[in-house]
Amino acid sequence: EPEVTQTPSHQVTQMGQEVILRCVPISNHLYFYWYRQILGQKVEFLVSFYNNEISEKSEIFDDQFSVERPDGSNFTLKIRSTKLEDSAMYFCASSDPTSGGIYNEQFFGPGTRLTVL
Amino acid sequence: RKEVEQDPGPFNVPEGATVAFNCTYSNSASQSFFWYRQDCRKEPKLLMSVYSSGNEDGRFTAQLNRASQYISLLIRDSKLSDSATYLCVVDPGFQKLVFGTGTRLLVSP
């Protein structure tokens, strides 16, 4: 069964450093997403990406965040200057809304745990 | 009012029990609805989509009441492996999912 993959599984960084989280969405999917989950809290939407551009972003997704699809398979989230409060699990997801009518079923990767020291 | 509201639980039930979770959402224009399951420190996994007419998948039954903006999930004949957090999820139609905080279920022998 096709699945979303993410690397690394755990990233430790110093405050102020840049990090890049990588994702390989399901190959025939057209929409890509990033979510985050701070420990003990709910999953929060960050950004959606379609046709090589951002289609929707949340208030959390400020100027320190950026996304990119550098090639035909990878989808990345860059955090330019990490803060302590960026420590969270970051989930990538993908979907193909055209396959299920209005039901935008999104499939999640296993996540990258980001720890900012 | 929170966008998606759930009772956090935990719900402690014995094996074989029937348990029901409820959820309310605030955006009446929401397009689609889901239940996801999340195990500890793992990714959310789609359990089932929720259709207006209600739908069943084995031991799981989901219901949607658009007028009341209310979604439910019923689990019959609970198994130990059903222990997890159940996330009520709404798509408001803007290519994003809005998650509830989740309801924790603990099934004991």
Side-chain angles (χ1 to χ4, degrees):
Chain A
E1 185 176 326
E3 57 183 20
V4 176
T5 59
Q6 290 185 243
T7 54
S9 57
H10 191 190
Q11 174 89 50
V12 181
T13 190
Q14 295 290 326
M15 191 169 56
Q17 294 297 303
E18 175 183 287
V19 294
I20 297 176
L21 310 183
R22 292 184 165 79
C23 168
V24 178
I26 294 172
S27 62
N28 62 336
H29 283 186
L30 304 175
Y31 286 81
F32 315 115
Y33 313 84
W34 284 101
Y35 293 82
R36 79 170 187 191
Q37 187 174 31
I38 295 170
L39 188 62
Q41 297 187 23
K42 66 179 182 179
V43 177
E44 299 175 290
F45 169 78
L46 292 178
V47 65
S48 60
F49 191 86
Y50 171 71
N51 200 25
N52 280 319
E53 61 182 27
I54 291 173
S55 52
E56 181 76 19
K57 62 181 181 179
S58 72
E59 291 177 353
I60 302 168
F61 194 87
D62 61 22
D63 291 344
Q64 69 164 336
F65 291 93
S66 62
V67 289
E68 193 179 27
R69 187 154 163 84
D71 53 43
S73 59
N74 289 286
F75 179 52
T76 62
L77 174 69
K78 182 192 289 187
I79 309 175
R80 248 178 289 280
S81 177
T82 49
K83 304 173 192 167
L84 295 176
E85 55 264 36
D86 293 328
S87 294
M89 186 74 113
Y90 288 81
F91 294 110
C92 174
S94 68
S95 71
D96 178 17
T98 59
S99 67
I102 63 167
Y103 296 100
N104 182 25
E105 296 178 351
Q106 297 184 17
F107 296 89
F108 284 73
T112 293
R113 182 176 307 282
L114 177 65
T115 302
V116 182
L117 303 175
Chain B
R1 184 177 174 184
K2 289 181 184 176
E3 286 187 273
V4 179
E5 201 149 2
Q6 294 181 253
D7 180 344
F11 283 53
N12 289 285
V13 302
E15 268 186 296
T18 295
V19 61
F21 304 136
N22 304 316
C23 164
T24 56
Y25 60 95
S26 61
N27 186 343
S28 60
S30 294
Q31 299 290 312
S32 31
F33 310 88
F34 309 91
W35 284 100
Y36 277 74
R37 170 194 168 127
Q38 187 174 31
D39 293 290
C40 189
R41 297 188 176 231
K42 299 284 189 182
E43 75 273 25
K45 290 190 175 176
L46 180 65
L47 181 65
M48 57 199 301
S49 302
V50 187
Y51 306 138
S52 294
S53 54
N55 49 300
E56 188 173 307
D57 184 1
R59 298 182 293 109
F60 300 85
T61 300
Q63 296 280 346
L64 168 65
N65 184 322
R66 283 188 185 268
S68 303
Q69 294 176 211
Y70 172 94
I71 307 161
S72 67
L73 176 69
L74 184 77
I75 305 175
R76 289 181 298 278
D77 188 24
S78 299
K79 312 289 185 193
L80 294 175
S81 56
D82 293 334
S83 296
T85 297
Y86 290 83
L87 308 174
C88 178
V89 183
V90 173
D91 178 357
F94 302 114
Q95 288 307 318
K96 68 178 188 182
L97 296 181
V98 179
F99 285 76
T101 51
T103 298
R104 194 163 165 225
L105 172 66
L106 299 170
V107 182
S108 53

